[in-house]
Amino acid sequence: MITLIYRWECVAAGQVPEQVTVPLSHLINAFHSPKNIAVSVNTSASQKQHREHVPEHDTPSSEPVLNLRDLGLSELKIGQIDRLVENLLPGFHKDKRVTSHWHTSHVSAQSFFENKYGHLDMFSTLRSSSLYRQHPKTLRSICSDLQCFPVFIQSRGFKTLKSRTRRLQSTSERLAEAQNITPSFVKGFLLRDRGTDLESLDKLMKTKNIPEAHQDAFKTGFAEGFLKAQALTQKTNDSLRRTRLIVFILLLLGIYGLLKNPFLSVRFRTTTGLDSAVDPVQMKNVTFEHVKGVEEAKQELQEVVEFLKNPQKFTVLGGKLPKGILLVGPPGTGKTLLARAVAGEADVPFYYASGSEFDEMFVGVGASRIRNLFREAKANAPCVIFIDELDSVGGKRIESPMHPYSRQTINQLLAEMDGFKPNEGVIIIGATNFPEALDNALIRPGRFDMQVTVPRPDVRGRTEILKWYLNKIKFDKSVDPEIIARGTVGFSGAELENLVNQAALKAAVDGKEMVTMKELEFSKDKILMGPERRSVEIDNKNKTITAYHESGHAIIAYYTKDAMPINKATIMPRGPTLGHVSLLPENDRWNETRAQLLAQMDVSMGGRVAEELIFGTDHITTGASSDFDNATQIAKRMVTRFGMSEKLGVMTYSDSGTLSPETQSAIEQEIRILLRESYERAKHILKTHAKEHKNLAEALLTYETLDAKEIQIVLEGKKLEVR
Ligand SMILES: Nc1ncnc2c1ncn2[C@@H]1O[C@H](COP(=O)(O)OP(=O)(O)OP(=O)(O)O)[C@@H](O)[C@H]1O
Ligand SMILES: [Zn+2]
């Protein structure tokens, strides 16, 4: 017999749902006995009782097991079971027993139902059900038990439909087909129209006098049909609910992605212009402490900080503070950092915007972003609005095809800046590398009327910046930041930060525990001249030439009074060079004397002179071309700009062709003399110090790189310690 297992959803909270095994026979028999409703069928007493109704040939041991859940009845509750029973056997609860006998003589059509209702073949419906397919033998035996039913039992051909869905479909199709013929009968089950149609079953049972043994099978069939219909509706509802849930989740995910993904969100904002999401940043952790080497700028901004801390204090006295401050300086000198520090010092919100953000291809978008930015800021005053790259929004260009709406954006910016009073506590800080490029209207009083220059740091500033960033890494005690600072003229704060970082990376790659001068020098050279070309195989002859060439520069620098001190000499190829000697000014030079310029020329000449002296005129190389460029430049400026030529006097001469041929040739003559004299001086020094020259070249060939101290040791004739 078939056993149905169903999960029982306990109504009381906290109870674990039980799994109750109900033999189908019991379920059906339960229909007969009012005392043994489905709920209590798991008791052994009732089982015994039901056994009586079980036909002899059914052995419970071989009962195939079906799960009610498979039929979509997993959530059948007690009340529902009652209803099921009531549906299947109306009046059952009133203890109506079917006692009449089964008459076969009435049956003349293919099935009983056809006889009564037309063409519905209840059992073929049953046969097409999955239940039948799973347990054809059992059901066939049930069907054959109904001997008076001219049931057409098919032993093979239950069209093996591939999927369960198809099967269910086909069942529903059959049911639907049947509906045309016997609408009320099937509809009763499908639509749970429990009234009249179910009475028909009852009536049927009574009128046909179905014998008790067959009633079981008959009702089994009925139950099957009912369950099938239930399963179908349940499944349909479930999948519908699931589909809706999936669609909803996908929709939510889509919206979330649209808002989170910056690219998408930018596009979204671009197309709608709804850019209201302007988030301030509280800059508590950035203070003036963090900005090094720009003391003047910090001092100028100090009063802005005071104002932001207490706007009323300033306006009470009638003083007017600028609304806008323009930070002007080369890239990476810390303009953004300074603006953040202003907000951080005053502990007010910081709104960051980049000018390029406002430069929109769409009408009104840039302007509306500016509007939103100022609205947010005013609502959170006192605060700082920082507009980086101000020139890209406030430039002078007017309606160029590349920036069709820039004028509109500038006008919006001007309107917003005019739109609030000085005591509202909103300070706008703009930054630019090209103040000349700004629209004049922007730098009028009442707008960006205060300019603060943020220059590249001087040697002291660079030392401070290097110390600041060195303190964030592990470095050796021997490191002297000042030496690096002296060798990094023109470096910005950002470049110095990068230098320290590169040195730390280099030390890590080399497996060192600390950063030493060596790594710092290395990264400085890398930034200045490009990476080392270790892989380049330079033959010994070229190496030797390079060693003498570089030593020549070093010797001249060492023995010339006004030359800068040597920092390093190397024959390691780097970037386009085969080697180099670096000299360090003691300080940033604001002015250079004639003697210093001449010394620089002499040092430049040192390389070629060395080649000539050691290898002979026939073996001089092209390696000195940049040295000559350098020396020629110095000589030229001395003559044409600095008034350092006696013959041409204190007069400047422009490069253009306005000069008379005589003047031009006089200038050339003077330059040539300066260069020749320089060359001779260099030759003299190298001839005098030929021994030192040779020692230094050999040391370079051995060690590749020598620092200032090592050069000194070699030139003093001492032996270098083996490294
Ligand atoms: N004076 C400085 N002191 C300390 N750190 C600095 C200094 N200048 C630059 N830096 C470092 O370099 C980084 C970049 O600097 P920042 O963005 O402020 O430069 P900027 O002048 O705004 O450049 P840009 O004009 O390209 O926007 C800073 O975050 C900081 O780490
Ligand atoms: Zn050279």
Side-chain angles (χ1 to χ4, degrees), residues 375-677:
R375 192 182 48 230
E376 288 279 323
K378 273 191 248 181
N380 291 294
C383 67
V384 170
I385 297 178
F386 179 69
I387 305 176
D388 206 354
E389 303 169 54
L390 188 65
D391 42 285
S392 70
V393 60
K396 280 175 183 153
R397 51 184 128 73
I398 300 157
E399 311 289 327
S400 85
M402 290 301 288
H403 313 272
Y405 305 111
S406 65
R407 177 120 307 268
Q408 217 186 21
T409 312
I410 295 176
N411 287 342
Q412 188 61 44
L413 182 60
L414 296 176
E416 292 292 347
M417 289 190 80
D418 293 342
F420 62 87
K421 293 178 209 80
N423 62 353
E424 275 186 65
V426 179
I427 287 282
I428 305 144
I429 302 180
T432 181
N433 307 331
F434 320 98
E436 327 77 48
L438 285 183
D439 196 300
N440 286 335
L442 267 177
I443 42 182
R444 271 216 330 253
R447 284 133 187 198
F448 290 101
D449 48 5
M450 177 178 168
Q451 273 206 21
V452 176
T453 313
V454 189
R456 291 186 206 276
D458 59 8
V459 68
R460 240 183 60 210
R462 289 197 302 274
T463 313
E464 272 184 47
I465 295 172
L466 283 168
K467 276 185 188 160
W468 174 257
Y469 288 111
L470 276 170
N471 279 327
K472 299 186 179 193
I473 61 166
K474 281 188 191 167
F475 68 98
D476 193 68
K477 272 197 247 66
S478 66
V479 166
D480 186 352
E482 208 192 310
I483 290 180
I484 303 296
R486 275 164 52 195
T488 46
V489 184
F491 273 48
S492 69
E495 283 167 327
L496 291 169
E497 185 186 4
N498 182 31
L499 188 154
V500 174
N501 185 46
Q502 298 246 1
L505 290 179
K506 168 82 175 147
V509 168
D510 293 351
K512 293 214 177 155
E513 292 202 341
M514 289 183 178
V515 169
T516 64
M517 264 325 243
K518 200 169 161 249
E519 284 80 41
L520 288 166
E521 286 285 352
F522 175 89
S523 68
K524 185 190 88 183
D525 290 346
K526 191 175 165 190
I527 293 168
L528 281 172
M529 281 173 277
E532 278 181 349
R533 292 184 298 156
R534 276 185 187 277
S535 56
V536 189
E537 265 307 314
I538 292 168
D539 57 274
N540 273 341
K541 193 179 154 230
N542 265 308
K543 257 191 177 170
T544 314
I545 294 175
T546 308
Y548 276 97
H549 177 111
E550 301 304 336
S551 313
H553 289 305
I555 296 284
I556 309 287
Y558 191 79
Y559 293 105
T560 303
K561 189 177 150 265
D562 289 296
M564 286 184 260
I566 303 173
N567 176 48
K568 191 176 80 172
T570 180
I571 54 165
M572 170 66 72
R574 193 180 274 282
T577 68
L578 287 174
H580 70 271
V581 170
S582 71
L583 309 176
L584 281 185
E586 298 85 356
N587 270 306
D588 288 359
R589 288 187 171 179
W590 303 106
N591 262 322
E592 281 171 311
T593 62
R594 186 170 192 272
Q596 282 173 336
L597 290 172
L598 289 177
Q600 279 181 46
M601 283 172 64
D602 296 357
V603 174
S604 295
M605 292 297 177
R608 164 57 66 81
V609 173
E611 287 180 29
E612 195 192 313
L613 286 178
I614 306 294
F615 306 103
T617 332
D618 288 346
H619 295 96
I620 51 174
T621 68
T622 55
S625 73
S626 69
D627 294 338
F628 293 145
D629 280 347
N630 196 19
T632 311
Q633 274 298 322
I634 296 171
K636 196 173 174 185
R637 278 187 292 158
M638 283 174 74
V639 175
T640 61
R641 295 179 59 88
F642 306 144
M644 289 180 179
S645 154
E646 271 177 41
K647 209 172 174 189
L648 286 157
V650 279
M651 183 177 170
T652 60
Y653 301 90
S654 65
D655 282 333
S656 64
T658 52
L659 299 172
S660 69
E662 294 80 37
T663 317
Q664 269 194 20
S665 77
I667 292 171
E668 274 174 26
Q669 183 69 13
E670 275 298 289
I671 294 173
R672 205 166 279 134
I673 292 170
L674 280 174
L675 289 170
R676 198 187 307 130
E677 285 174 358

Side-chain angles (χ1 to χ4, degrees), residues 84-335:
L84 171 68
V85 172
E86 183 59 33
N87 278 351
L88 288 169
L89 293 170
F92 161 74
H93 289 304
K94 290 173 214 143
D95 201 8
K96 276 189 185 167
R97 280 207 164 238
V98 184
T99 49
S100 54
H101 288 282
W102 186 253
H103 291 291
T104 58
S105 57
H106 292 277
V107 184
S108 59
Q110 206 194 8
S111 76
F112 161 73
F113 289 99
E114 275 178 57
N115 267 343
K116 179 141 201 230
Y117 292 100
H119 293 288
L120 174 72
D121 182 353
M122 171 68 187
F123 284 90
S124 62
T125 304
L126 173 63
R127 279 197 305 273
S128 74
S129 76
S130 61
L131 196 68
Y132 199 107
R133 246 179 304 277
Q134 281 165 30
H135 313 285
K137 274 198 189 128
T138 326
L139 276 185
R140 211 180 305 146
S141 72
I142 295 169
C143 292
S144 55
D145 276 349
L146 302 165
Q147 282 149 4
C148 39
F149 271 60
V151 179
F152 176 58
I153 297 171
Q154 217 171 355
S155 50
R156 26 153 216 112
F158 301 104
K159 286 169 199 158
T160 41
L161 294 172
K162 296 232 164 54
S163 76
R164 195 179 150 80
T165 349
R166 283 283 305 276
R167 274 182 236 143
L168 286 168
Q169 256 174 13
S170 77
T171 317
S172 69
E173 273 161 23
R174 275 163 180 271
L175 287 169
E177 272 168 35
Q179 223 173 6
N180 299 333
I181 310 151
T182 55
S184 55
F185 179 78
V186 182
K187 225 193 260 170
F189 283 102
L190 280 178
L191 305 178
R192 302 192 187 186
D193 182 3
R194 288 165 211 113
T196 51
D197 298 317
L198 291 164
E199 274 166 29
S200 325
L201 175 67
D202 194 33
K203 229 184 278 166
L204 191 75
M205 301 278 275
K206 271 191 262 170
T207 51
K208 300 300 170 192
N209 288 333
I210 299 170
E212 238 172 74
H214 294 159
Q215 277 180 20
D216 285 352
F218 179 70
K219 281 164 190 169
T220 307
F222 235 91
E224 289 292 332
F226 180 81
L227 297 181
K228 196 93 265 190
Q230 280 273 55
L232 186 70
T233 14
Q234 180 94 9
K235 280 243 144 59
T236 321
N237 284 342
D238 280 357
S239 72
L240 209 69
R241 226 174 292 143
R242 229 175 289 134
T243 316
R244 276 194 213 131
L245 195 72
I246 289 169
V247 168
F248 184 65
I249 289 171
L250 283 178
L251 202 73
L252 282 182
L253 281 176
I255 292 170
Y256 181 77
L258 207 66
L259 293 176
K260 276 285 157 189
N261 186 319
F263 174 69
L264 284 177
S265 72
V266 165
R267 290 206 61 95
F268 180 68
R269 288 169 178 186
T270 301
T271 44
T272 58
L274 295 173
D275 185 13
S276 57
V278 193
D279 299 320
V281 196
Q282 209 79 26
M283 299 314 307
K284 258 186 191 154
N285 47 354
V286 182
T287 62
F288 281 152
E289 246 316 275
H290 295 72
V291 199
K292 302 287 176 190
V294 280
E295 296 310 316
E296 293 84 356
K298 282 200 266 184
Q299 270 166 27
E300 284 189 69
L301 290 169
Q302 189 59 48
E303 63 183 48
V304 179
V305 173
E306 294 302 323
F307 165 70
L308 284 167
K309 277 184 182 165
N310 193 355
Q312 278 76 35
K313 191 177 108 187
F314 281 77
T315 43
V316 160
L317 294 169
K320 260 193 189 169
L321 262 152
K323 284 181 190 172
I325 298 152
L326 196 57
L327 300 180
V328 180
T333 46
K335 297 183 292 296

